Amino acid sequence: MAPNRFVYDFDEPSEGGRDLLGGKGIGLAEMTQLGVPVPAGFTIATDACRAYTESGGQLPDGLEAEVERHLTSLEEKSGKRFGDPGDPLLVSVRSGAAVSMPGMMDTILNLGLNDDAARGLAERTGNPRFANDSHRRLIQMYGEVVDGVDGHLFEEALSKLKDERGAALDVDLSAEDMAGLVETFKGIYESETGSGFPQDAREQLSRSVRAVFDSWDNPRAQVYRRAHHIPDDLGTAVNVVQMVFGNKGEQSGTGVAFTRDPSTGEPGLYGEFLADAQGEDVVAGIRTPEPLERMEAGMPDAFEQLTATMRRLEEHYRDVQDIEFTVEDGSLYLLQTRSAKRTAAAALKSAVDMAAEDLISREDAVARIDPGQLDQLLHPMIDPSASVEVVAQGLNASPGAASGKIVLDADTAVERGKSGDSVILVRWETTPDDIHGMIAAQGILTAHGGMTSHAAVVARGMGKPCVAGCEALTVDTVARTAALDGHQLAEGDVITIDGGTGRVMLGPVELVPPQINEDFETILGWADDMRRLKVRANADTPEDAAKAREFGAQGIGLCRTEHMFMAEDRLPVVREMIMASSEDERRRALDKLLPHQQADFEGIFEAMAGLPVTIRLLDPPLHEFLPPLEEATDEHMRERIRALREANPMLGTRGCRLGLMWPEIYEMQVRAIVRAALAVQERTGDAPLVEIMHPLVGFGEELRRLRVMTIAAADEEGELEYLVGTMIELPRACVRADEIAEHADFFSFGTNDLTQTALGFSRDDAEGKFLTRYLEDGVLERNPFETIDQGGVGDLMRIAVERGRSVKDIKMGICGEHGGEPKSVAFCHELGLEYVSCSPYRVPLARLAAAQAALKESGIEAVASGG
Ligand code: ADP
Ligand code: MG
Ligand code: MG
């Protein structure tokens, strides 16, 4: 077999695509091949990183020779030699995985410089300041990334020098200052590592490549992967890119830009630019960057070329692009392009606009919205009628509002978040090391940094409110206090931030659900035309039913009746019923409950006129309606509580078992349902589409008896068409779905109980306890209560579908939280269910996910472009 090939020049076509070259590498190769100006270079593929990791840190055979060959060809292209003391070729070594993990891994710039080469570069360019500036940057980045030197040591030295010189900014330092800084940095490097800064360019390169491979497994990258469900074994590619220099003076600079506004989706240039600066300076918040438009005055040609290139890239990729560029002495170079992370609002607007511009089809537009991201739009906003006192204003970095206790570091955010507090992470500026705190926080507030700062980019991706660059904020992490425009705050004090406007307020503020806009309706309207699965909602009240309808629900898949028993005015009657010592007495209590239930059902039927409503008969064990033993009012009650007590209520006398033990309860419910339906029919002229559902059935015989009882009670009330069905939520019900189907008009998968019973997990005992640990340790990749465990629970469902349908063509759906989770929705589509049912707020998401599942069948993969 031919030896593996690991290295590809940017101008060489390759087969492996993004998986092999990583996102950055494939972008650089595609831009090069499109004729966009990109510095020359090559990519070491991800499989080299995998081989390196698997072998415990050995570079794979032949890799070094291959790199050497590509380096030689880079030298030929550039006319410079790597390690040449007179006119050195300098390169960057950049990480870049297949999946975007912004800022999680490392990059080193200006590689190939040493003492001689820095002198050569200074002479060659006639710009010693630039040469020394590049040199000190190399020593710092290399020291940090390759040798783990603490970056603060370098930064403190820089600050100290600036103080001594009375310089406000790095650019105010002279060439001599920079030369001095190089010496200081070399000293720091040597005292921290025990050896001098490596002078050999090839040694620098090979150690940097290893360090980038290693950065795949640094702790923050691991946390990020876990949070985003990115597999640990993808590995990163390494890009070796000829340096272009933005730090050569006023005709040079560096910037980032989006082809449309990533917050709103509005078309038009959007970005930031820093003159006389190198790459990292823009994101690191060293100086506050200028808006991109300012570049036009200073370097009109480069600006015009930039706008033309951005248009071209957007047309090529047919998606909003996020680019990095550098201008060296007036010439433009692109250093990165990727599909832009964007807010949900921006994702919708840009997709609708691009479809209108004929850049993409409606199917593409629907396929590229991340259903999970729609949630953002359904997030709370500040009540417009609330009077708020704004104490400070920052940048509106990521929309949505949040109130919470301030925490000043990421670990505290996690701690307090775990104890159930809503927290706002308040930092001078976030770094990738804060990622776990950002995940735990409801919102993020920073004193420093722009719209493309770390906090802003990461928060937008997570869909969390963020106010960045709030200058009136000061943070003292030692005293653990913060101040907002002079107001002193201690950790734990409550503030509110509005990431949509950048406002910061003291104390909590009333929040309201946001409005759904036109783009949202447009995309969901298109999605509705594309999907096969119907989407229903779980709703127990007329209000929830109305809300669900507003969100596009096509019926109710689960109306729980226990809440109607819990209502304050009914609980005493319910208790009377439970306490009854004879059937007669029980029936008398039930007769008092019936009109209440009937009224509830009437409201729900009216709200859902013309659409099916599945009503589940009482499910929880009766002791849930009694007080705890200590609060019992008399001996009789204590006795009853003891009698009903169960060692394991989840598996006890509940669901249809209850209905078989005390048939008069279900009978009353059936009568209430039928009377309500007939009353609504009388009032409106339309008969509600009633589906009566029996919970927790495991045996055909259970359902047979319940069906007989249901029909008998219903028939006594009058003429009504209705269905009688069952939940499928026990493993036995799945494997004997044939036996159960004999007596059922429909099945509704109750995947919460099915997950509990199939996995032997009691949800309450699992979440927050061993399951959390399982997820942290990677024993399980996902929480099976959030995403259907396809291998186990999913297989049981498949069996139930097959065996149920082998008896008759039976209507099937799913109710419960999984019905609103995109991956589970896709699975239900594959299974050929008729509908999914979820909470009203998740209905839009399920509509979109259902459309994407259908599109996938016709070969259009969902590619979430935001998030
Ligand atoms: P990240 O993934 O953190 O953005 P990058 O590899 O993109 O890291 O590089 C960090 C910064 O350095 C970016 O601003 C990038 O544009 C800049 N940069 C990388 N390579 C070069 C190069 N060859 N010439 C000039 N700037 C570069
Ligand atoms: Mg980058
Ligand atoms: Mg259940």
Side-chain angles (χ1 to χ4, degrees):
M1 220 174 74
N4 273 340
R5 179 169 175 197
F6 293 116
V7 186
Y8 302 84
D9 278 340
F10 295 162
D11 55 9
E12 267 183 290
S14 77
E15 304 268 290
R18 171 179 302 268
D19 289 344
L20 194 66
L21 300 180
K24 205 175 282 170
I26 190 88
L28 288 164
E30 283 171 350
M31 286 195 291
T32 303
Q33 286 158 38
L34 272 176
V36 167
V38 171
F42 54 86
T43 301
I44 304 172
T46 53
D47 48 11
C49 179
R50 285 192 293 270
Y52 173 84
T53 311
E54 275 160 26
S55 67
Q58 298 285 324
L59 292 180
D61 277 351
L63 178 63
E64 276 168 306
E66 219 185 318
V67 167
E68 192 55 44
R69 279 199 301 281
H70 287 266
L71 195 59
T72 307
S73 105
L74 183 56
E75 289 177 331
E76 277 160 18
K77 273 178 207 149
S78 64
K80 295 176 197 284
R81 283 198 6 269
F82 192 55
D84 183 344
D87 182 18
L89 166 67
L90 302 188
V91 298
S92 60
V93 169
R94 316 169 63 190
S95 56
V99 185
S100 154
M101 296 170 49
M104 291 298 131
M105 291 176 296
D106 295 316
T107 283
I108 303 170
L109 305 182
N110 308 319
L111 228 75
L113 274 181
N114 53 30
D115 297 345
D116 292 339
R119 255 192 311 279
L121 185 65
E123 276 163 28
R124 179 87 197 175
T125 57
N127 190 342
R129 188 191 181 286
F130 150 71
N132 290 325
D133 181 45
S134 304
H135 196 188
R136 62 100 188 173
R137 288 170 189 269
L138 170 66
I139 299 167
Q140 173 167 357
M141 282 179 132
Y142 187 95
E144 281 184 49
V145 172
V146 177
D147 293 295
V149 179
D150 184 352
H152 288 116
L153 296 173
F154 297 109
E155 267 139 39
E156 275 158 25
L158 175 61
S159 295
K160 189 158 156 266
L161 180 67
K162 284 200 295 192
D163 284 349
E164 280 167 23
R165 297 288 181 273
L169 300 170
D170 300 3
V171 280
D172 300 332
L173 294 172
S174 68
E176 291 71 41
D177 291 335
M178 284 297 171
L181 207 54
V182 167
E183 293 310 313
T184 314
F185 278 19
K186 285 201 296 202
I188 294 172
Y189 181 90
E190 185 154 0
S191 71
E192 290 298 302
T193 65
S195 47
F197 189 77
Q199 296 292 306
D200 178 26
R202 280 179 165 72
E203 179 193 342
Q204 290 176 5
L205 179 61
S206 112
R207 290 194 65 205
S208 299
V209 169
R210 285 167 177 274
V212 171
F213 283 162
D214 289 332
S215 73
W216 171 257
D217 266 331
N218 74 35
R220 66 186 191 217
Q222 290 183 16
V223 170
Y224 186 92
R225 287 201 290 274
R226 200 118 302 155
H228 290 81
H229 297 296
I230 300 169
D232 277 328
D233 58 2
L234 298 179
T236 181
V238 179
N239 302 285
V240 177
V241 190
Q242 180 178 3
M243 284 303 299
V244 287
F245 299 100
N247 55 336
K248 271 189 162 173
E250 280 306 308
Q251 278 305 299
S252 303
T254 183
V256 295
F258 295 85
T259 54
R260 302 184 191 222
D261 185 327
S263 278
T264 64
E266 287 295 333
L269 272 196
Y270 182 89
E272 289 169 333
F273 182 73
L274 252 186
D276 195 9
Q278 207 167 48
E280 302 276 89
D281 296 354
V282 178
V283 254
I286 303 291
R287 273 179 282 151
T288 303
E290 307 244 18
L292 196 59
E293 301 75 43
R294 297 273 175 80
M295 191 184 146
E296 192 169 10
M299 31 185 100
D301 291 347
F303 182 76
E304 193 179 310
Q305 205 189 345
L306 175 68
T307 54
T309 305
M310 285 169 72
R311 239 190 333 272
R312 181 123 182 257
L313 287 174
E314 197 183 81
E315 274 163 20
H316 175 76
Y317 286 106
R318 305 185 310 132
D319 195 9
V320 185
Q321 294 298 294
D322 164 1
I323 65 155
E324 287 173 5
F325 67 94
T326 281
V327 179
E328 176 177 343
D329 289 330
S331 305
L332 174 77
Y333 297 92
L334 276 274
L335 285 159
Q336 188 168 328
T337 190
R338 62 184 167 202
S339 167
K341 297 221 184 272
R342 66 203 78 167
T343 63
L348 291 170
K349 172 144 186 63
S350 58
V352 170
D353 284 357
M354 285 188 180
E357 292 161 23
D358 275 335
L359 218 52
I360 59 175
S361 67
R362 286 183 175 190
E363 284 76 11
D364 294 332
V366 166
R368 74 168 47 158
I369 308 295
D370 175 2
Q373 224 197 351
L374 282 186
D375 240 13
Q376 266 186 40
L377 292 178
L378 306 165
H379 274 172
M381 312 244 281
I382 287 184
D383 183 348
S385 65
S387 67
V388 296
E389 200 192 321
V390 178
V391 289
Q393 175 79 40
L395 299 171
N396 54 333
S398 177
S403 285
K405 297 181 177 169
I406 65 169
V407 288
L408 303 181
D409 66 65
D411 291 342
T412 313
V414 170
E415 226 166 79
R416 295 241 175 164
K418 267 199 186 134
S419 67
D421 280 350
S422 163
V423 299
I424 310 281
L425 180 62
V426 175
R427 302 282 285 162
W428 187 74
E429 160 67 291
T430 62
T431 70
D433 290 326
D434 290 325
I435 187 83
H436 56 300
M438 300 177 77
I439 293 170
Q442 267 60 48
I444 295 131
L445 172 65
T446 67
H448 202 76
M451 295 293 279
T452 51
S453 64
H454 179 265
V457 172
V458 174
R460 280 200 293 273
M462 290 180 177
K464 292 213 166 157
C466 174
V467 173
C470 177
E471 286 174 8
L473 169 71
T474 54
V475 181
D476 184 338
T477 47
V478 179
R480 306 214 68 86
T481 58
L484 269 170
D485 196 33
H487 297 270
Q488 280 299 322
L489 298 170
E491 206 161 29
D493 288 350
V494 174
I495 63 167
T496 300
I497 61 168
D498 180 356
T501 60
R503 295 176 300 169
V504 183
M505 289 132 284
L506 297 179
V509 174
E510 199 73 20
L511 305 180
V512 294
Q515 304 298 307
I516 289 173
N517 68 15
E518 210 175 299
D519 299 320
F520 186 97
E521 300 288 1
T522 304
I523 289 281
L524 284 170
W526 293 347
D528 290 345
D529 294 338
M530 294 167 198
R531 67 187 158 94
R532 190 196 67 223
L533 267 178
K534 293 206 167 71
V535 178
R536 298 195 193 180
N538 300 345
D540 306 340
T541 63
E543 295 74 44
D544 277 358
K547 172 111 295 184
R549 232 188 151 141
E550 231 174 82
F551 285 141
Q554 295 161 288
I556 291 181
L558 177 63
C559 171
R560 302 180 189 84
T561 52
E562 47 268 24
H563 296 141
M564 305 171 184
F565 278 41
M566 291 286 188
E568 227 176 307
D569 53 332
R570 306 177 195 175
L571 199 54
V573 192
V574 173
R575 287 188 178 161
E576 223 178 285
M577 184 271 288
I578 299 173
M579 300 297 302
S581 14
S582 67
E583 190 188 317
D584 262 5
E585 213 182 302
R586 194 154 45 240
R587 281 189 185 276
R588 273 199 299 281
L590 285 166
D591 283 344
K592 284 194 247 172
L593 277 178
L594 191 146
H596 292 294
Q597 284 242 298
Q598 183 182 336
D600 291 335
F601 293 140
E602 285 183 31
I604 290 168
F605 289 147
E606 277 177 8
M608 277 288 152
L611 298 172
V613 177
T614 308
I615 296 169
R616 179 178 75 184
L617 302 185
L618 197 63
D619 184 42
L622 290 182
H623 64 77
E624 284 195 10
F625 300 97
L626 294 179
L629 193 59
E630 315 79 78
E631 288 168 28
T633 45
D634 54 44
E635 188 52 34
H636 178 51
M637 188 178 263
R638 271 190 287 277
E639 231 170 71
R640 191 49 55 97
I641 294 173
R642 281 192 212 103
L644 289 172
R645 190 145 63 184
E646 292 178 317
N648 204 335
M650 183 194 118
L651 302 174
T653 315
R654 50 168 291 213
C656 70
R657 301 161 194 170
L658 203 68
L660 289 166
M661 298 265 290
W662 291 285
E664 46 292 358
I665 300 178
Y666 277 18
E667 219 184 282
M668 178 281 284
Q669 292 197 293
V670 171
R671 288 182 198 282
I673 292 169
V674 176
R675 284 184 199 180
L678 292 173
V680 169
Q681 179 175 19
E682 171 112 7
R683 269 205 297 283
T684 65
D686 288 317
L689 306 175
V690 178
E691 302 175 347
I692 299 173
M693 179 156 79
H694 293 277
L696 218 72
V697 167
F699 299 86
E701 181 59 15
E702 287 171 327
L703 190 60
R704 190 192 66 76
R705 293 179 182 213
L706 290 165
R707 186 183 183 92
V708 169
M709 180 278 288
T710 305
I711 293 173
D715 282 357
E716 274 180 33
E717 297 301 326
E719 283 269 310
L720 180 77
E721 275 197 40
Y722 59 90
L723 303 179
V724 180
T726 177
M727 294 194 71
I728 298 289
E729 49 189 340
L730 294 173
R732 190 183 194 283
C734 292
V735 291
R736 294 314 312 272
D738 50 341
E739 164 189 311
I740 293 170
E742 300 279 359
H743 313 287
D745 303 321
F746 65 88
F747 282 175
S748 175
F749 287 98
T751 44
N752 189 43
D753 271 321
L754 186 56
T755 300
Q756 296 201 91
T757 51
L759 274 55
F761 284 11
S762 136
R763 186 170 186 175
D764 289 342
D765 296 312
E767 285 181 338
K769 294 182 191 139
F770 71 87
L771 181 53
T772 311
R773 182 64 181 276
Y774 268 28
L775 294 168
E776 277 167 13
D777 291 353
V779 177
L780 291 181
E781 206 182 307
R782 287 169 190 275
N783 179 344
F785 293 104
E786 279 167 15
T787 304
I788 289 176
D789 157 44
Q790 285 189 24
V793 172
D795 244 27
L796 284 170
M797 293 170 72
R798 201 187 306 278
I799 289 169
V801 170
E802 276 165 24
R803 298 195 182 162
R805 292 222 168 109
S806 74
V807 173
K808 63 179 183 221
D809 188 17
I810 186 167
K811 181 164 153 182
M812 297 192 195
I814 178 180
C815 59
E817 268 168 76
H818 291 115
E821 189 277 326
K823 282 201 163 16
S824 308
V825 171
F827 179 67
C828 292
H829 173 94
E830 278 166 40
L831 272 189
L833 301 192
E834 183 170 304
Y835 67 86
V836 295
S837 186
C838 55
S839 82
Y841 276 95
R842 295 189 80 84
V843 165
L845 185 159
R847 287 161 68 196
L848 183 62
Q852 292 183 347
L855 287 175
K856 189 172 169 200
E857 238 168 40
S858 45
I860 302 176
E861 283 280 343
V863 276
S865 51

